Amino acid sequence: MIPFLSLKDVTALHGAEINEAVTRVVNNGWYLQGKENERFEEDYAKFIGTKYCIGCANGLDALIWIFRAYIEMGVMQPGDEVIVPANTYIATILSITENGLKPILVEPKLNTLEIDDDLIEAAITPRTKAIAIVHLYGRNAYTEKIGSLCKKYNLKLIEDNAQAHGCKHTDGRTTGSIGDAAGHSFYPGKNLGALGDGGAVTTNNPELAAAVRALANYGSQKKYVFKYAGRNSRLDEIQAAVLDVKLKYLVEDNAHRKLVANYYYDHINNPIVSLPDRLPDAQNAYHLFPILVADGKRDALHDYLEQNGVGTVIHYPIAPHKQECYKEWNKISLPITEKVADAELSLPIGPAISNDEIQQIVKLINNF
């Protein structure tokens, strides 16, 4: 069986160092808000290219705290609008509605699977305060057009970098350092994954960084003094230590993902299978490798690969606007988003998959 992603194999790549890091924390006796967090935050900020990194409990919280901090700073208020891709994982949208802000869903381009920058300007109103871009699947979603719209309308640019650790823009900036602030997820299956949940906010804005750090620590900037009504959302010392080990190998691990992806691009050849536009290697961290399957055959291909010992995953079969939790949107028509939801299938990719395995996968797809 070729698993979609074996976390056990991924962890084993750097297993000795990870075990050493965990043991160090356990023996140290300091489990929250200590030196491991300080070290990881400093190293990750350097890697991303920002002045500040604030660890928190998970990627959803990271995005929630960014919007909440902007509300506390008076930059936004409940009822304000945030433009967001319609085809994202639901967390991006949850972070907006959680803060009483209004998501404005914009369709993606079918050839990139990222937000269509040609449709953004028409969605801007006097209530628009931010554009949230999502580097979905690990692909760089930022464009110069998005940057100029933010300048023209004085909008904040928020990056959801949950799937794109180590991805770059054409000018060499790393995603997570391009906008005003970015949310990162260290869910175990991510390119930089913890052994549990974890997240972070990166930014160059000192006021935002201080507000996020306080909000994620009960609203406290000083022990027993509470500036905000916050919550408890902290990255623990064991996860920080594990992440710091894995960060050292992230570029190398991503390079292996790129080899896998390039093999897929060069060898997949089936008329019903289309691949998103090929980006230069630097602009795709290849968190996932999505294909679109035509003629309503996505589920059949998924089942066929499964029967032949290959695990695949559908990201995401029900679009956010079709979910029960957002039933006020259920009747909205977003044809491209819906097409992606009906046709997308993610193939195995990761730092531990072998050449033999990817050759086998391609052979099966081409014979389907």
Side-chain angles (χ1 to χ4, degrees):
M1 178 72 188
I2 301 171
F4 177 69
L5 181 70
S6 166
L7 292 177
K8 195 177 169 187
D9 292 348
V10 171
T11 304
L13 291 173
H14 316 299
E17 278 184 77
I18 288 170
N19 284 329
E20 203 179 292
V22 171
T23 305
R24 182 179 70 237
V25 179
V26 170
N27 293 342
N28 207 358
W30 191 284
Y31 306 128
L32 276 170
Q33 295 185 295
K35 288 192 167 37
E36 302 292 348
N37 258 274
E38 275 174 37
R39 187 186 300 123
F40 172 66
E41 287 180 350
E42 197 178 305
D43 290 345
Y44 193 62
K46 203 176 290 172
F47 177 83
I48 293 294
T50 56
K51 286 182 188 156
Y52 307 100
C53 168
I54 305 98
C56 61
N58 53 66
L60 171 57
D61 277 6
L63 293 167
I64 287 172
W65 300 135
I66 291 168
F67 290 115
R68 175 74 188 280
Y70 276 128
I71 289 170
E72 295 290 356
M73 290 159 65
V75 174
M76 297 178 194
Q77 57 184 25
D80 284 342
E81 295 171 357
V82 178
I83 287 169
V84 65
N87 65 317
T88 184
Y89 180 58
I90 203 163
T92 323
I93 295 170
L94 289 172
S95 70
I96 298 167
T97 57
E98 171 84 8
N99 281 294
L101 300 165
K102 188 180 176 194
I104 303 298
L105 306 180
V106 170
E107 290 258 64
K109 286 182 174 167
L110 201 53
N111 61 319
T112 67
L113 305 178
E114 306 298 330
I115 192 166
D116 187 341
D117 57 3
D118 294 329
L119 301 178
I120 292 174
E121 193 161 19
I124 295 171
T125 76
R127 292 303 308 255
T128 309
K129 287 297 185 324
I131 299 174
I133 57 171
V134 183
H135 303 294
L136 201 62
Y137 310 117
R139 299 168 61 87
N140 171 33
Y142 178 75
T143 64
E144 302 307 329
K145 189 168 189 176
I146 291 171
S148 59
L149 287 171
C150 288
K151 279 198 185 77
K152 182 176 173 182
Y153 293 99
N154 191 25
L155 305 175
K156 296 296 177 195
L157 179 64
I158 314 298
E159 295 173 81
D160 181 338
N161 201 53
Q163 299 187 359
H165 315 128
C167 176
K168 293 188 183 289
H169 181 51
T170 48
D171 61 10
R173 284 181 296 169
T174 301
T175 58
S177 72
I178 297 167
D180 294 282
H184 307 254
S185 165
F186 306 125
Y187 179 78
K190 299 292 201 262
N191 293 40
L192 181 61
L195 300 183
D197 272 320
V201 171
T202 54
T203 183
N204 286 316
N205 181 328
E207 191 188 349
L208 183 82
V212 166
R213 192 174 291 286
L215 284 163
N217 186 32
Y218 298 99
S220 169
Q221 285 175 317
K222 187 179 161 195
K223 198 164 188 180
Y224 302 132
V225 179
F226 302 93
K227 183 173 181 177
Y228 312 110
R231 289 226 308 263
N232 174 13
S233 173
R234 300 180 297 209
L235 185 65
D236 71 65
E237 289 285 279
I238 286 178
Q239 301 305 348
V242 168
L243 288 165
D244 208 51
V245 168
K246 292 177 84 174
L247 181 59
K248 291 190 294 188
Y249 300 103
L250 180 57
V251 172
E252 187 186 309
D253 288 349
N254 280 352
H256 185 76
R257 288 173 179 271
K258 287 167 191 186
L259 291 174
V260 176
N262 285 324
Y263 189 87
Y264 283 151
Y265 269 111
D266 292 341
H267 296 93
I268 289 175
N269 183 13
N270 184 316
I272 65 160
V273 172
S274 61
L275 311 182
D277 286 359
R278 194 171 187 166
L279 293 168
D281 267 355
Q283 291 173 55
N284 198 337
Y286 290 109
H287 169 56
L288 298 170
F289 193 90
I291 63 173
L292 297 179
V293 187
D295 305 337
K297 291 189 174 158
R298 188 264 314 273
D299 293 355
L301 177 57
H302 168 275
D303 295 348
Y304 158 83
L305 289 170
E306 190 94 4
Q307 284 150 17
N308 284 279
V310 176
T312 58
V313 174
I314 295 163
H315 294 95
Y316 303 94
I318 306 170
H321 72 286
K322 294 291 183 190
Q323 297 286 355
E324 195 179 340
C325 62
Y326 291 123
K327 47 182 170 289
E328 65 274 23
W329 296 338
N330 287 175
K331 289 191 169 67
I332 295 174
S333 169
L334 293 165
I336 297 168
T337 297
E338 288 156 29
K339 183 172 182 170
V340 173
D342 290 342
E344 195 277 346
L345 187 67
S346 296
L347 304 181
I349 192 166
I353 193 169
S354 72
N355 287 341
D356 285 353
E357 288 173 330
I358 55 175
Q359 286 168 17
Q360 217 176 309
I361 293 163
V362 168
K363 206 169 165 184
L364 285 166
I365 291 169
N366 291 347
N367 288 336
F368 178 68

